[in-house]
Amino acid sequence: MTSVPRVLLRDGSSIPQLGFGVWQLGEADCVRLVGEALRIGYRSIDTAQLYGNEASVGQALRETDVLRSEITITSKLRNGAHRRDDALRAFDLTMQKLGLEQLDQFLIHWPVPEQDLYVEAWSTLIELQAQGRVRSIGVSNFDPVHIDRIVTASGVLPAVNQIELHPRYQQRGTRAFHQRHGIATESWSPLGPGTDAVAFWQQSGNPRGEPVLPDPTILAIAEKHRKSAAQVIIRWHLQQGLILFPKSAKPERIAENFDVFDFALDEQDIGSIAGMDRRGGKVGAQPAAFNFVF
Ligand code: NAD
């Protein structure tokens, strides 16, 4: 069985660098595909209250032979539950749906600056961690300014920040900030936006987004290594020390995305991908302006 490298977090726990994301997977598909991912060897699953499939992840966990202790489960607090009482209730519901005693990672999904409750949400996550109900706490879609604010208020740094990150949007500034503070970076939409993701972002007023997988730079590197475009991009994230959870609804692609430990990108490949970063490469909303409450 392939052993995936783990990233050590500032709280002493660790997470496999490569996992499986379940955004936009419907309930039945989610049960089947998480089961498939676990059979292939994935040991980290990324869900969220927003995704509506925590119960399916829970069912897949009950049905698998893989030990609970071997699997890292991440979920995220929804934007409409930042107040302490709401956050505690929402967390309880997550645990009920997942059927877990302890969650491995719980993140604040978005800062929602207009609502201005993310500091209260952060204090509540600290409370849950102190009670032993969650192992690692972190944030998602936080800009450095949002992180500075929760740290000033609480004295506690997040273990991770999960942000949009792919070859067209490499987030060098935020990654350098994370490195200075010992925060691990998790890449969302690591392969670049898929059709469904672009549709989602267009609905909320973010109409940009070119696919990254067919980029000629990626295709040339893929041909050189006799690997697929997705495998090249996943390798890039791994070699950058990033944590990622590529998603696919196709079992053969889920297997392909895990088959990335028998080759390595060289310096020239890394240099070429560095040149793909674009100012307008972001597809999802800017955290400072995303105030959608769900
Ligand atoms: P992704 O980068 O994993 O995939 C992008 C597209 O590529 C998808 O359409 C997918 O079907 C396709 N794809 C996957 N494997 C492929 C392959 N081998 N060949 C060709 N195409 C392939 O995109 P994503 O689902 O947006 O992101 C991954 C995960 O990140 C999500 O499932 C979720 O867990 C997390 N996420 C988090 C946030 C957040 O706000 N925190 C936002 C978006 C996604």
Side-chain angles (χ1 to χ4, degrees):
M1 179 68 73
T2 308
S3 121
V4 176
R6 299 183 74 92
V7 173
L8 184 65
L9 304 179
R10 57 176 306 109
D11 58 18
S13 63
S14 68
I15 179 170
Q17 234 188 315
L18 180 61
F20 182 61
V22 299
W23 184 36
Q24 295 174 314
L25 294 184
E27 290 178 29
D29 279 350
C30 184
V31 179
R32 181 173 55 84
L33 296 167
V34 169
E36 184 63 24
L38 291 169
R39 256 190 306 284
I40 290 167
Y42 288 84
R43 292 294 178 265
S44 167
I45 308 292
D46 182 76
T47 183
Q49 293 171 349
L50 170 72
Y51 304 169
N53 53 22
E54 288 172 310
S56 307
V57 172
Q59 189 180 331
L61 291 176
R62 281 191 298 284
E63 289 176 2
T64 183
D65 293 337
V66 181
L67 292 177
R68 165 70 186 102
S69 57
E70 286 182 19
I71 309 171
T72 299
I73 302 291
T74 299
S75 191
K76 314 184 195 84
L77 181 68
R78 62 186 175 85
N79 289 358
H82 282 193
R83 281 202 170 77
R84 181 178 177 276
D85 287 356
D86 294 334
L88 291 175
R89 259 197 303 274
F91 179 78
D92 283 345
L93 196 58
T94 281
M95 298 306 271
Q96 225 177 63
K97 288 181 175 170
L98 289 169
L100 298 179
E101 289 296 311
Q102 190 193 44
L103 187 61
D104 300 293
Q105 284 201 348
F106 196 46
L107 318 182
I108 302 177
H109 206 148
W110 290 86
V112 204
E114 213 169 76
Q115 187 175 253
D116 198 18
L117 289 168
Y118 63 89
V119 173
E120 183 169 334
W122 183 241
S123 310
T124 313
L125 263 57
I126 294 171
E127 208 179 312
L128 288 167
Q129 188 183 38
Q131 291 168 0
R133 302 197 66 203
V134 50
R135 204 153 49 85
S136 298
I137 53 173
V139 293
S140 175
N141 300 300
F142 272 44
D143 288 335
V145 65
H146 306 124
I147 296 183
D148 278 340
R149 188 145 168 246
I150 57 170
V151 176
T152 304
S154 67
V156 180
L157 276 152
V160 306
N161 186 15
Q162 186 178 120
I163 53 176
E164 180 180 342
L165 203 163
H166 43 75
R168 280 270 164 64
Y169 191 64
Q170 300 186 13
Q171 297 258 33
R172 294 205 181 94
T174 302
R175 280 159 68 191
F177 173 88
H178 289 167
Q179 200 153 23
R180 282 199 298 282
H181 296 284
I183 300 167
T185 306
E186 298 185 346
S187 308
W188 67 249
S189 290
L191 303 176
T195 327
D196 294 346
V198 169
F200 174 88
W201 290 117
Q202 279 176 342
Q203 261 175 20
S204 50
N206 294 270
R208 283 169 310 184
E210 273 171 77
V212 182
L213 283 163
D215 185 280
T217 304
I218 297 293
L219 292 179
I221 299 172
E223 198 179 318
K224 172 173 142 189
H225 292 280
R226 296 178 191 282
K227 284 288 188 177
S228 71
Q231 289 169 326
V232 165
I233 299 178
I234 292 168
R235 221 27 251 183
W236 176 79
H237 287 272
L238 294 173
Q239 290 181 220
Q240 304 282 307
L242 300 162
I243 298 160
L244 69 159
F245 321 88
K247 184 278 310 278
S248 173
K250 298 192 169 79
E252 63 279 12
R253 285 183 171 172
I254 299 175
E256 175 187 323
N257 294 348
F258 198 70
D259 180 19
V260 290
F261 297 101
D262 61 349
F263 80 113
L265 303 180
D266 59 31
E267 269 179 42
Q268 195 188 356
D269 305 329
I270 299 284
S272 307
I273 297 177
M276 289 176 61
D277 202 14
R278 300 273 181 282
R279 219 168 220 292
K282 183 162 183 43
V283 175
Q286 291 292 348
F290 189 63
N291 292 297
F292 178 57
V293 173
F294 50 80

